[in-house]
Amino acid sequence: SFGEGYVGSRALTSALDAAWDANIVLVAAAGNDGAGFVTWPAAHKRVIAVGATGMKNKNNTELTEYSNEHPRVDLIAPGGAIGADRNHDDVDDGILAQTIALNDPATAQYVLYAGTSQATAMVSGAAAYLLAEGVHPRKVRHVLQRTATRPIGQLGYLYGTGAGCLDIGAAVASVSGADSQDDAGQRYVALLPFLRYTDPSHATIEPVVQI
């Protein structure tokens, strides 16, 4: 992922558009700056932009401090944390990944990592499951978002965390025959009703609907 301030070049955007036209599912990390923007290529409209969750306690997760938040984020998935053990299993709350050993490119090793890149790998795996179930590539984002669960203490799009937390089981279980069809000409619209505080003292609230 490119850092803050990078704007997609003509070569990059053309490549992403070509991949989309070839029915390739594109997934990318939102970035680990803990800021209000999304890095490229996740910022491209054809790409599923993924933020990261970490353990809040033994039973719940929450958006990580490092995950970027922005309306462009599509959903969030486990990204883990290093130096924390909030579920008290005596192991860092990282995501176990296989990578090249330090200073030895001929050897692979397992390492605990954390980041929106790790969350992106989770969503990529979920996308592979859906493709195997016959979901059309252009429907993958929609299926993942419609089955996402709301993170504890978050209000989704209001906080830039997208549709919510990845739920692979729910996504696969929800697949129907219609998901195998290409509806490229259709546009999906989601309505998110919620209550919002109207003042800093949280004395009053108002109903809001976000499209």
Side-chain angles (χ1 to χ4, degrees), residues 97-102 104-105 107-113:
Q98 187 181 42
T99 186
I100 296 172
L102 185 64
D104 185 6
T107 303
Q109 66 181 17
Y110 287 97
V111 180
L112 286 172
Y113 279 123

Side-chain angles (χ1 to χ4, degrees), residues 18-184:
W20 171 265
D21 291 339
N23 287 326
I24 295 174
V25 178
L26 301 165
V27 190
N32 303 324
D33 306 279
F37 64 90
V38 171
T39 57
W40 274 80
H44 191 277
K45 63 183 179 180
R46 303 297 192 195
V47 179
I48 300 174
V50 183
T53 64
M55 297 297 299
K56 182 176 183 179
N57 51 48
K58 187 175 181 179
N59 299 313
N60 298 306
T61 61
E62 62 183 355
L63 190 72
T64 62
E65 294 181 357
Y66 59 77
S67 183
N68 289 354
E69 302 174 58
H70 188 270
R72 179 65 193 82
V73 173
D74 289 301
L75 75 163
I76 52 183
I82 299 299
D85 181 19
R86 295 180 177 174
N87 61 343
H88 305 295
D89 64 353
D90 297 322
V91 179
D92 269 10
D93 295 336
I95 303 298
L96 188 64
Q98 187 181 42
T99 186
I100 296 172
L102 185 64
N103 299 322
D104 185 6
T107 303
Q109 66 181 17
Y110 287 97
V111 180
L112 286 172
Y113 279 123
T116 54
S117 292
Q118 280 61 50
T120 299
M122 298 284 187
V123 174
S124 297
Y129 270 115
L130 294 179
L131 293 173
E133 291 291 328
V135 175
H136 193 279
R138 296 189 181 184
K139 289 286 194 71
V140 168
R141 185 202 315 252
H142 175 60
V143 174
L144 292 175
Q145 288 188 306
R146 81 183 182 205
T147 55
T149 59
R150 189 67 58 212
I152 301 297
Q154 295 287 346
L155 293 177
Y157 288 107
L158 178 65
Y159 285 94
T161 56
C165 296
L166 171 70
D167 189 329
I168 298 177
V172 173
S174 77
V175 172
S176 66
D179 292 319
S180 64
Q181 305 299 315
D182 180 8
D183 294 338

